[in-house]
Amino acid sequence: MSTITTLPTPDFTFDADAPGACVAGVRPYRMGAYRLDSEQESGKFVVHNYGHGGAGITLSWGCADKVKQIVQTFLATSPETEVAVLGAGVMGMTAATRLLELGLNVTIFSDRDPIDTTSFRAGGQWAVSIIETAGKEDELKGIIKTAYNTFKDGIGKGWGVFERPNFSIKETPGLELVLELVPGLLPPRQDVNPMPFQGHNMPGFEYQTLLVEPPTFIRRLKADLDTKQVPFVNRRFTSKADVLGSLTQKIIINCTGLGAMDLWNDSDVIPVKGQLAMLNPQLNLQYLYGRNGQIFPRTDHVVIGGTVEKNVNNETPSKAKCKQLVHDIAAAFGVVVPAAPVKLPKWHIDHPGNERLVDPRLSIR
Ligand SMILES: Cc1cc2nc3c(=O)[nH]c(=O)nc-3n(C[C@H](O)[C@H](O)[C@H](O)COP(=O)(O)OP(=O)(O)OC[C@H]3O[C@@H](n4cnc5c(N)ncnc54)[C@H](O)[C@@H]3O)c2cc1C
């Protein structure tokens, strides 16, 4: 007789009014494919590294390595020592980290602190999701391989990376792409029947992938660059002419994400808003899960996400949408979301059971 092990059910208690409970960010999605190439203009060598949609964290180290190769090839005929990296998100900071390995003096220019970027708001699933890759399949093989192996090497070393099973009711396109392009990189996908969760008597799939926690990863990238004395300059560029005309560095790495839409007049870049509900951390949950949305149990929060709003360019979270996210995914476990804990007024907490005497509304003069 086979015994089916049921994995722990998340505690779906959610208070949408709590500070930081609802988060929204805008993915830098590029129609056709992400941009990773170089051009020369007005005496500058510009490397573009933007448009990674919902996969920027995932692909970051692989793209950074590619940026390094492009710059290294340029340096072979045009020796330079200074480089300007535009953007302090994951693309800018991983590229800067790799460029230091070439002995270059790197300066990062950004109009946001790393903890205010889209990168900091990402969920953290290692999967090539919500991105177009047309014609980039060969390049992507190398990028995926480098990115995955770099993250995997970072497990247990303070980068916020964990290896986790990822359960999904349907095939997950962002992981299927990896299995297809780089066979053998991830362990093979397993069929599971039934899914090992309360309320799930249907089949599904189990992948083995990584969870990359952006709050830890982004802070670590910044801390390491600080240690290496890389200057972060707060600066907003208004146009391509502003970039090309005002920077003294001849090599410029454009990692401005959604900013490239206006800065480089790239009409292929479009905003794709995503929202996240942040629940209390639950360290007993050691899996990722996808059905009616996605669950990423991180050490700072259990994050529930999965919304995709094309052409919406604002970072204002909707409490209603976040509540719906939690409600929908809880329903998959057959759970009704408990009401948010009742907030007791201070007089009640200080004097439990003695309200009538201390409630300023009830006290008898
Ligand atoms: C809700 C949500 C969940 C996500 N989940 C995942 C996930 O699970 N896994 C994953 O891999 N990815 C995920 N992503 C996608 C990921 O966050 C992005 O792909 C990634 O952050 C893009 O990084 P970036 O460095 O290109 O852009 P950003 O992080 O946006 O950084 C851009 C930088 O450029 C600067 N900049 C822009 N314009 C200018 C200007 N004109 N002048 C000066 N500076 C400028 C900004 O200040 C910023 O520093 C998610 C995204 C969202 C919104």
Side-chain angles (χ1 to χ4, degrees):
M1 201 177 88
S2 72
T3 351
I4 296 158
T5 315
T6 303
L7 294 172
T9 300
D11 173 357
F12 289 105
T13 307
F14 179 60
D15 178 3
D17 294 320
C22 303
V23 170
V26 184
R27 304 174 184 93
Y29 186 90
R30 188 163 187 266
M31 290 181 292
Y34 61 89
R35 187 161 187 203
L36 183 44
D37 56 22
S38 63
E39 63 177 324
Q40 299 212 40
E41 197 174 335
S42 308
K44 305 286 186 185
F45 181 69
V46 184
V47 183
H48 298 287
N49 183 25
Y50 64 80
H52 301 88
I57 301 287
T58 302
L59 299 176
S60 56
W61 283 122
C63 292
D65 215 56
K66 192 90 189 138
V67 168
K68 179 181 168 186
Q69 286 167 26
I70 295 172
V71 171
Q72 199 163 19
T73 306
F74 174 75
L75 290 175
T77 51
S78 313
E80 292 288 334
T81 54
E82 307 296 318
V83 56
V85 172
L86 316 187
V90 71
M91 289 300 161
M93 291 202 290
T94 51
T97 303
R98 286 291 171 260
L99 291 169
L100 288 174
E101 295 166 3
L102 297 176
L104 292 164
N105 297 321
V106 179
T107 305
I108 297 181
F109 296 86
S110 171
D111 64 357
R112 292 186 184 205
D113 278 346
I115 59 163
D116 293 326
T117 61
T118 305
S119 301
F120 197 80
R121 297 166 200 214
Q125 174 179 222
W126 193 90
V128 188
S129 313
I130 317 175
I131 186 170
E132 291 189 33
T133 58
K136 296 271 196 181
E137 289 74 14
D138 279 344
E139 177 182 87
L140 208 51
K141 287 178 190 178
I143 288 175
I144 287 174
K145 213 167 156 181
T146 305
Y148 181 79
N149 287 331
T150 309
F151 278 121
K152 200 154 179 210
D153 282 354
I155 292 176
K157 297 177 188 161
W159 291 94
V161 186
F162 304 87
E163 191 154 33
R164 292 278 183 260
N166 188 341
F167 293 92
S168 174
I169 202 81
K170 291 190 287 195
E171 290 181 354
T172 303
L175 291 168
E176 289 295 323
L177 183 69
V178 176
L179 295 174
E180 182 195 319
L181 288 181
V182 197
L185 187 68
L186 298 177
R189 180 193 72 213
Q190 306 285 335
D191 293 344
V192 282
N193 192 4
M195 291 268 276
F197 301 102
Q198 170 188 310
H200 290 63
N201 51 10
M202 70 291 278
F205 301 105
E206 178 182 351
Y207 299 85
Q208 197 68 25
T209 186
L210 304 177
L211 172 68
V212 181
E213 300 194 354
T216 307
F217 179 45
I218 295 296
R219 285 197 176 99
R220 171 66 186 267
L221 284 169
K222 170 76 164 71
D224 282 6
L225 290 165
D226 285 345
T227 304
K228 290 170 185 155
Q229 298 180 339
V230 171
F232 280 72
V233 177
N234 185 284
R235 164 100 195 254
R236 173 163 182 77
F237 297 95
T238 53
S239 64
K240 176 171 156 180
D242 183 19
V243 172
L244 298 177
S246 65
L247 290 173
T248 54
Q249 292 87 346
K250 188 164 179 189
I251 303 174
I252 298 167
I253 318 296
N254 177 15
C255 303
T256 51
L258 196 63
M261 184 169 65
D262 293 332
L263 211 50
W264 235 259
N265 280 327
D266 189 338
S267 55
D268 288 332
V269 177
I270 59 162
V272 178
K273 182 174 176 177
Q275 309 214 28
L276 301 172
M278 312 298 252
L279 279 59
N280 285 336
Q282 299 164 46
L283 300 184
N284 60 329
L285 306 180
Q286 304 265 313
Y287 58 82
L288 282 75
Y289 172 94
R291 183 187 174 200
N292 296 355
Q294 287 166 333
I295 304 179
F296 312 125
R298 304 193 321 215
T299 49
D300 61 333
H301 292 102
V302 169
V303 178
I304 298 184
T307 68
V308 176
E309 298 167 65
K310 243 179 170 174
N311 288 312
V312 180
N313 193 2
N314 70 69
E315 295 175 325
T316 311
S318 148
K319 286 183 192 174
K321 205 151 221 151
C322 288
K323 277 186 191 168
Q324 192 66 47
L325 267 173
V326 180
H327 179 274
D328 289 351
I329 213 154
F333 287 77
V335 171
V336 175
V337 177
V342 179
K343 285 202 184 79
L344 295 173
K346 191 168 181 324
W347 50 262
H348 179 100
I349 295 165
D350 289 347
H351 307 276
N354 221 0
E355 301 86 343
R356 282 197 63 82
L357 293 178
V358 291
D359 178 354
R361 295 168 303 169
L362 299 178
S363 58
I364 305 153
R365 287 162 204 266

